[in-house]
Amino acid sequence: MLWVVAPRSGARPLPRIPWKKFPVHVTRPLTGACLVLTAALTLTGCFAPSDQSADGADDRVSVAMLQPPRSALSPLSDDAFKLSRWSTAETLVVLDDNGDPQPGLATEWTRVDDTTWEFTVRDGVVFHDGTDLTADAAAHALEYAAQAAPKPRILDGVDLTVAAEGDTVTVTTADGDPLVPHRLSSPQLSILAESAYDGDTVSPVGTGTGPFELVEVNGTTSARLERFDGYWGDPARLSGIDVTFVPDGTARAAALRTGEADIVEAVPVSQAALLDQELLTEVPMPRTNTLHLNAADGPFADPGLRAAVRETIDRRALVEGVYEGRADVAEGLLGPALPWSADRPERTASTEATDPDGVAITLATYSDRPEQPEIVTVLAQQLEDAGFEVEQAVREYANIEQDMLAGEFDAFVLSRATVLDSGDPLAYMASDFSCDGSFNIAQLCDADVDDLLAEAEPLATGADRRTAILAAEAAILATDAAIPLLHERVIQGDAAHVADSAKDPRERLLVTPRTRLD
């Protein structure tokens, strides 16, 4: 019997649909169950329960993910992190727990001079389409990313050229860049087979190198992966992965509680207390929830009004109220996931607050993360108590991103991973707070900030670079264009029979070759 359980007690078993009668794969269209779940939870899709064998050696894992693909799973976008979490697309370099680069599809590398790096490509790697990984194939993937418009965020401000010779890929940058290996660890620079690239389109279906092959994508609803037996590393313990995209946090939590999903991404804080605590893992994340104020246009072009917001916000109320204590009050843009950030210099206010006196503002966020609308509601009340008139705007991320980046709102609350790309927070700061940053929600352009970011950029990893990063952070905070609210902890749900799923603060790993169902 196939149990399809609605998020209520007293669920009944439904007859198993005879999938083997179909000549092609279908995505388990359990229509009746979907209707029940949709009515109860506004669920966007149904889950495919794992087919566990008696010895646990030929199992599929069902995964409920937070956000659907935004760019058709293009590795040049943030969708790349889904490919990485499914272990289907890989990079030349990976990062260890300390954020230091380690061999991936490249076995070693050398810094030839200030602007030139050579990477030796691993031998014996086969793409999912049957072609071999070569230096030429790796160079083709990197060159395509470097020439893309827009570029992957990891290459913001980086002029990069690539060449191949023998088993070596040479990466040259216009300026000295000590973080080239870190950059090449970003899932946005995954190495796919040449067949993946067709004009302006990049398809990861059947073109990666990982232990799981992506074989089917059903729009923004689901995806299916199969174990790739030609994998160059340790073989996967699972036979496959069934992914369902479920933006509704209540539905994701219900899927864990009822057993419809084996692994659940981003269990909402509001749902965590309702679940078996032994199924949850809580990890401090390099992710900060920040209030961005439009420093270029509108009321918050006035530094005094930005200072008024900074003095008004009660961060502790957000942590204790919205997050039920499952977060950390922000002292800066960087949080406890980066322990060295606690050595930041003491901050002093540089601008006196101006009385809001009824100034009208728009405060916006997105609904994909369930805590975000709640934060906006609490912030709106705090700001209104201080004298602002607040209009709230909440939409799905896909429908608000363009206006957010164009500066259409006076204030925007964003949950942002601070070392998502390179493992080094400077790339995040440059992208979000420099004059030329591509993700500059606050429309901030400050000479002191840009100068300090530029000073930190050429420094080698280590104490001096970290000190320079904290100086840049202090300059950003001094503008009051970005007011960090709290540092998040991710809550991941794993069914009791799931073993060795990754609990990754950087959100790059989830299902790995070691993951299994016991």
Side-chain angles (χ1 to χ4, degrees):
M1 302 290 280
L2 175 63
W3 287 84
V4 179
V5 187
R8 54 178 177 81
S9 60
R12 304 289 296 174
L14 297 178
R16 180 165 184 150
I17 296 176
W19 303 110
K20 293 183 179 179
K21 293 182 180 180
F22 289 85
V24 295
H25 173 84
V26 293
T27 308
R28 291 175 168 86
L30 302 178
T31 308
C34 280
L35 291 176
V36 173
L37 287 171
T38 301
L41 297 171
T42 318
L43 184 61
T44 60
C46 282
F47 297 89
S50 304
D51 298 327
Q52 185 173 356
S53 65
D55 62 4
D58 188 29
D59 303 331
R60 301 184 65 82
V61 69
S62 177
V63 180
M65 300 200 76
L66 167 63
Q67 292 179 336
R70 300 171 184 168
S71 304
L73 288 177
S74 168
L76 306 182
S77 70
D78 278 349
D79 288 352
F81 293 86
K82 293 177 175 59
L83 304 176
S84 176
R85 286 171 76 74
W86 302 338
S87 293
T88 188
E90 298 180 307
T91 51
L92 291 179
V93 179
V94 297
L95 298 181
D96 63 18
D97 291 342
N98 293 321
D100 295 325
Q102 301 295 331
L105 293 179
T107 56
E108 60 184 358
W109 51 89
T110 303
R111 191 172 190 177
V112 178
D113 56 41
D114 192 43
T115 61
T116 307
W117 297 73
E118 289 184 351
F119 295 82
T120 301
V121 174
R122 186 179 297 275
D123 187 31
V125 177
V126 178
F127 289 107
H128 297 155
D129 68 357
T131 60
D132 293 331
L133 171 66
T134 62
D136 285 332
H140 179 270
L142 295 177
E143 185 68 21
Y144 187 98
Q147 299 300 320
K151 288 182 179 181
R153 190 174 55 244
I154 188 64
L155 295 181
D156 273 351
V158 179
D159 185 3
L160 178 148
T161 58
V162 188
E165 182 176 352
D167 63 352
T168 300
V169 172
T170 300
V171 176
T172 304
T173 55
D175 301 307
D177 184 358
L179 293 181
V180 167
H182 291 76
R183 295 187 191 281
L184 297 190
S185 78
S186 170
Q188 292 183 331
L189 297 182
S190 295
I191 306 301
L192 301 182
E194 293 193 27
S195 62
Y197 305 91
D198 182 12
D200 294 332
T201 302
V202 186
S203 172
V205 177
T207 58
T209 60
F212 294 99
E213 177 184 355
L214 180 62
V215 297
E216 182 179 2
V217 180
N218 296 305
T220 58
T221 301
S222 63
R224 182 168 63 94
L225 299 95
E226 303 287 352
R227 179 171 55 214
F228 180 58
D229 292 330
Y231 183 53
W232 59 269
D234 293 334
R237 300 287 298 274
L238 295 166
S239 63
I241 308 171
D242 295 305
V243 179
T244 308
F245 303 111
V246 189
D248 187 283
T250 302
R252 288 197 308 281
L256 180 65
R257 184 170 56 249
T258 61
E260 289 184 283
D262 301 308
I263 301 175
V264 175
E265 257 195 343
V267 174
V269 170
S270 61
Q271 296 293 313
L274 307 177
L275 299 171
D276 182 347
Q277 299 303 294
E278 292 186 0
L279 304 183
L280 304 180
T281 303
E282 192 171 330
V283 181
M285 296 289 288
R287 176 176 286 277
T288 303
N289 213 304
T290 300
L291 176 62
H292 297 257
L293 304 181
N294 188 335
D297 189 33
F300 293 126
D302 179 354
L305 286 177
R306 299 200 299 269
V309 173
R310 183 215 339 125
E311 292 187 0
T312 295
I313 299 305
D314 182 352
R315 297 172 173 84
R316 178 63 61 183
L318 296 172
V319 169
E320 298 299 332
V322 177
Y323 281 80
E324 301 178 10
R326 296 178 186 260
D328 298 289
V329 173
E331 299 296 333
L333 297 169
L334 310 178
L338 299 173
W340 53 267
S341 68
D343 295 331
R344 62 174 49 88
E346 185 176 350
R347 182 184 173 190
T348 57
S350 59
T351 304
E352 292 188 6
T354 300
D355 185 353
D357 194 23
V359 168
I361 62 171
T362 57
L363 174 61
T365 195
Y366 48 100
S367 58
D368 304 56
R369 287 181 175 267
E371 295 83 12
Q372 298 302 100
E374 294 184 55
I375 288 176
V376 162
T377 299
V378 175
L379 288 178
Q381 185 61 60
Q382 293 180 2
L383 293 170
E384 287 172 351
D385 289 345
F388 289 96
E389 291 184 7
V390 182
E391 177 183 352
Q392 300 179 42
V394 178
R395 308 177 207 154
E396 289 186 358
Y397 186 89
N399 297 325
I400 205 169
E401 181 184 49
Q402 183 175 353
D403 288 344
M404 172 191 77
L405 294 176
E408 295 296 325
F409 306 108
D410 299 312
F412 197 94
V413 178
L414 180 78
S415 172
R416 179 81 154 125
T418 57
V419 295
L420 182 67
D421 299 320
S422 68
D424 179 270
L426 192 65
Y428 143 72
M429 291 182 177
S431 174
D432 288 30
F433 304 111
S434 71
C435 293
D436 296 329
S438 64
F439 209 73
N440 192 339
I441 300 170
Q443 314 296 305
L444 180 65
C445 187
D446 183 275
D448 289 341
V449 169
D450 275 20
D451 287 347
L452 289 168
L453 291 172
E455 289 177 14
E457 179 64 29
L459 299 178
T461 55
D464 289 346
R465 185 179 183 86
R466 292 170 179 171
T467 298
I469 288 172
L470 292 178
E473 179 200 54
I476 294 167
L477 296 177
T479 69
D480 290 321
I483 301 175
L485 304 174
L486 54 92
H487 305 297
E488 297 180 23
R489 304 171 193 162
V490 69
I491 305 174
Q492 180 176 314
D494 293 270
H497 57 266
V498 173
D500 289 333
S501 68
K503 281 76 177 179
D504 181 16
R506 299 187 188 92
E507 300 180 287
R508 296 183 176 196
L509 300 175
L510 182 62
V511 181
T512 75
R514 296 182 58 197
T515 306
R516 66 188 188 280
L517 301 182
D518 288 335

